[in-house]
Amino acid sequence: MVVKGEFNMKEIVLELEGLNCAGCAAKIEELTNDIDGVDSASLDFVNKKLRVNVEDEESQNITNEIKTIVNTLEPHVLVIEKGKNNHSHSHDHGHSHSHDHGDINKADILKLIIGGILFIIPYLFKLEGNFRLLVYLAAYIVIGLEIIIIAIRNVLAGQPFDEFFLMTVATAGAFIIGEYPEAVAVMLFYQVGEFFQGLAVSHSRKSISSLLDIRPDYANLETNGKIEIVEPEDVHVGDYIIIKPGEKVPLDGIILEGKSSMDTSNITGESVPRTVNTGEAILSGFVNKEGLLKVEVVKEFGESTVSKILDLVENASSKKAPTENFITKFARYYTPVVVYTALFIGLIVPLLFGYDIKDWAYRAFVFLVISCPCALVISIPLGFFGGIGGASKSGILIKGGNYLEGLNDIDTLVFDKTGTITKGSFDVVSIEAYGDVSKEEVLELAAYGEVFSNHPIGISIVETYGKEIDKNKIKNYKEIPGHGIEAEIHGEKVLIGNKKLFMKNNINILEKDSIGTVVYIGKGNSHIGTIEISDELKENVGEHIKDIKSQGINTIMLSGDNELIAEKVGNLVGIDKVYGDLLPQDKVSIFEKIMEENPGKVAFVGDGVNDAPVLARADIGIAMGGLGSDAAIEASDIVIMTDEIGKINTGIKIAKNTKKIVTQNIVLALGIKLIVLSLGVFGKATMWEAVFADVGVSIIAIFNSIRALKVEE
């Protein structure tokens, strides 16, 4: 159990082992949300996890209530509390019913074979009368007894309108009106369909799980010169681990000895191997291709990159897309409406108009067979989960179906400049000195002034100076936000900063035009020198921005640099609008103004170091290269593991593809159901078509959902 911390809330995570019925899953989620003390509950059908936010002191009672609900609806499902090893379940049936096909169940296959043989005997031997009825009845009981028992139990528990009840009423009704072969055939094909549907769900779950097969199984821990193979969880910060060629890196760390080539595709989606040397950081989930490495661990396993990725992707399903929420609500009303319509067709119409009750009852049974919204309830979450899984394989972490769907509606992308459009690695490119001052003196004064700065520009000046700095020679140090630094160095007043700082001090400067950052240095009351620091553009950034704009998206850039530099960078890469000279608080207010002006969704793209407030404010916050910054992961909705803006385009393509697949499934499922329902009313559809419209469509929709895993770069 994980303590949420706010408002004394706690999150309970329950694993529902053996849950393969989508309709039941929706019902469990709905009933859990109705429990007193539950703030919110979300059941992730793909991962079989139920996440419940509860008020702290209530948690144990609520867990017991949930177990009762699950036991009532799905007695074979085991409820496992996350973080506990005990399996708590009520009682276990000899085998799971036909919905549970994580593994192929031999008893189910045997039942279908025996039922199938009994079903064809009356045809083969042309049986008549009571004997024919008895054989069909035997076939019906073999195939359908389990469904009938579950249906009766659920009705007694106040849960009618599930597919077991609908199938039981429809097929029992068909028996009563003398349609024996059809009653058995419908139950048989329904069970065969459910069996294949179970296999399809299992297959798609495995496809998604294999995408996320990045969890390391073990770590080689070195203690006193000996190597011991341990669980990654048993390794702690400061321990030394050995990574052999071909092994996964189990925890984040720094290389102490050795160099190698790393396959980073699990984490970043990059296919080109990356060379790493002593002193460099490596992330868990990378695969060591060549050398033997000794690594010092810098993060516990729970905090490591692999854990964060798996956690983000697993939790993604709890943030449902609007389409998923719509389908959940739709399913809640769809089934009762169809059932009452069936009742009207089967009883009221023949009684009112004197039609043949047998004929109209048959039409009503067709309605009942078709009234389960399974195809939608299963395939839509699978589609979104597939999209999220496919994106993670490309190095794009999307924290929920709502953000994946939201990518379709972005009309404006706002970029931070440093570290997003540019590399964020600053280098001194020129030093100019005026009057009788040397370049060395200009650099020395600038380095002394910037020695306390942690800004990349200040750091690059200090690194370029490269000599020992005697901090005792610096007095009255003052940092002026948005202007620069004022200090006494060697007993003289020194100014280091931008044009605004010098205007404030009434000092004239020789202005320099540059696409880099220009730092002016003043001593006494005069401008003695200028240092130009340039930040490189990221590779292919212009192409990536062009691709994004080709999707009809507006681009805006925010920068703390002066307006002229920001404009130049914006023009170079083709950004529509640029705001410069911004302090961090200005970024938020400008961003809010942009959000008011744009009707669609506005996304913000930043490198996450100082962009957390804007990332959190955006409709969709996208953090670049974000695993370096915990603040970015917390504040953003999408984390791009590499520094490439091009991945945003990939993400938008994945979102559009997922939306297309989900829409196809909705149109297919509802379209075919409506056609067969219409034919059913006019007596033109048989129960066979109804079974196809229910189970057949589910299977097609599930296999269609798996396509969301495929990603076009």
Side-chain angles (χ1 to χ4, degrees), residues 93-342:
H93 278 233
H95 66 285
S96 60
H97 68 62
S98 59
H99 269 260
D100 185 23
H101 294 290
D103 297 304
I104 291 176
N105 194 314
K106 287 177 185 153
D108 283 346
I109 295 173
L110 190 65
K111 183 173 70 183
L112 293 174
I113 292 169
I114 294 168
I117 292 167
L118 287 169
F119 172 64
I120 57 171
I121 283 173
Y123 279 112
L124 292 177
F125 298 105
K126 300 193 168 42
L127 301 178
E128 295 293 332
N130 286 344
F131 199 50
R132 176 172 174 264
L133 169 63
L134 282 173
V135 176
Y136 278 130
L137 197 58
Y140 182 71
I141 288 167
V142 168
I143 301 161
L145 183 64
E146 198 171 10
I147 285 180
I148 297 163
I149 291 167
I150 295 166
I152 293 166
R153 197 190 57 234
N154 287 359
V155 169
L156 294 175
Q159 290 296 324
F161 298 143
D162 61 15
E163 52 196 33
F164 307 114
F165 171 73
L166 301 169
M167 286 302 304
T168 302
V169 172
T171 52
F175 242 100
I176 291 161
I177 61 170
E179 299 283 352
Y180 315 137
E182 201 138 344
V184 177
V186 165
M187 193 64 98
L188 178 64
F189 284 104
Y190 171 76
Q191 288 275 43
V192 169
E194 286 295 298
F195 180 75
F196 283 113
Q197 184 175 298
L199 291 181
V201 170
S202 176
H203 171 69
S204 58
R205 274 179 175 154
K206 284 195 180 99
S207 305
I208 292 164
S209 312
S210 68
L211 264 188
L212 301 174
D213 185 22
I214 58 176
R215 195 183 187 285
D217 305 318
Y218 62 89
N220 303 314
L221 179 64
E222 184 183 275
T223 35
N224 305 326
K226 288 188 182 149
I227 293 173
E228 188 188 349
I229 294 175
V230 296
E231 296 278 327
E233 289 89 342
D234 297 336
V235 181
H236 303 293
V237 174
D239 284 351
Y240 298 137
I241 54 172
I242 303 294
I243 300 154
K244 297 171 188 169
E247 289 184 335
K248 275 184 198 147
V249 176
L251 299 102
D252 296 4
I254 305 276
I255 299 172
L256 295 179
E257 291 169 22
K259 61 175 278 191
S260 182
S261 165
M262 287 278 165
D263 174 358
T264 67
S265 58
N266 278 338
I267 305 297
T268 64
E270 291 303 294
S271 53
V272 181
R274 183 190 297 179
T275 305
V276 291
N277 286 301
T278 307
E280 287 188 43
I282 53 172
L283 301 177
S284 51
F286 285 4
V287 177
N288 184 13
K289 304 282 277 184
E290 290 169 11
L292 189 73
L293 299 175
K294 181 174 181 176
V295 172
E296 182 179 350
V297 174
V298 294
K299 282 185 181 169
E300 298 281 334
F301 182 70
E303 285 300 304
S304 69
T305 302
V306 156
S307 296
K308 279 185 177 164
I309 291 173
L310 291 173
D311 202 39
L312 283 178
V313 176
E314 284 199 353
N315 289 348
S317 305
S318 62
K319 295 191 180 89
K320 294 192 170 148
T323 310
E324 287 182 82
N325 289 327
F326 162 73
I327 289 300
T328 310
K329 284 201 182 90
F330 174 82
R332 209 172 286 168
Y333 300 111
Y334 168 79
T335 305
V337 165
V338 177
V339 170
Y340 289 127
T341 309

Side-chain angles (χ1 to χ4, degrees), residues 47-64:
N47 282 321
K48 311 185 192 185
K49 283 196 176 77
L50 177 63
R51 294 173 186 279
V52 191
N53 284 330
V54 299
E55 287 154 22
D56 209 345
E57 62 279 358
E58 297 289 328
S59 63
Q60 199 46 55
N61 302 342
I62 286 170
T63 305
N64 294 335

Side-chain angles (χ1 to χ4, degrees), residues 125 304 459 515 579 650:
F125 298 105
S304 69
I459 292 164
I515 84 149
Y579 294 89
T650 309

Side-chain angles (χ1 to χ4, degrees), residues 421-434:
I421 301 286
T422 62
K423 288 183 178 172
S425 55
F426 295 86
D427 294 307
V428 172
V429 288
S430 76
I431 302 170
E432 289 170 22
Y434 309 119

Side-chain angles (χ1 to χ4, degrees), residues 545-597:
I545 300 276
K546 197 170 148 195
D547 289 345
I548 287 165
K549 285 167 73 171
S550 71
Q551 309 236 23
I553 294 172
N554 301 319
T555 54
I556 296 174
M557 187 177 85
L558 308 181
S559 175
D561 281 344
N562 79 52
E563 197 83 45
L564 281 171
I565 295 172
E567 282 286 354
K568 280 190 178 168
V569 172
N571 289 337
L572 271 175
V573 298
I575 280 178
D576 300 322
K577 193 168 185 187
V578 173
Y579 294 89
D581 284 322
L582 300 177
L583 298 171
Q585 59 269 33
D586 300 336
K587 280 187 184 176
V588 177
S589 53
I590 293 266
F591 188 79
E592 287 182 336
K593 194 177 114 205
I594 294 167
M595 286 181 80
E596 280 166 28
E597 289 167 1

Side-chain angles (χ1 to χ4, degrees), residues 387-446:
I388 289 166
S392 76
K393 195 68 181 165
S394 292
I396 306 163
L397 291 185
I398 299 174
K399 288 192 186 176
N402 50 344
Y403 305 122
L404 181 63
E405 190 161 15
L407 277 176
N408 286 285
D409 306 322
I410 288 177
D411 76 354
T412 305
L413 262 179
V414 180
F415 297 92
D416 177 50
K417 180 178 89 76
T418 308
T420 305
I421 301 286
T422 62
K423 288 183 178 172
S425 55
F426 295 86
D427 294 307
V428 172
V429 288
S430 76
I431 302 170
E432 289 170 22
Y434 309 119
D436 56 357
V437 180
S438 68
K439 288 185 179 181
E440 286 72 22
E441 193 180 340
V442 169
L443 180 58
E444 183 182 331
L445 286 174

Side-chain angles (χ1 to χ4, degrees), residues 437 440-450 465 489-490 494 496 521-523 528:
V437 180
E440 286 72 22
E441 193 180 340
V442 169
L443 180 58
E444 183 182 331
L445 286 174
Y448 268 77
E450 295 282 7
Y465 177 62
I489 299 167
H490 308 309
V494 173
I496 300 150
I521 294 93
K523 186 166 80 166
I528 62 159

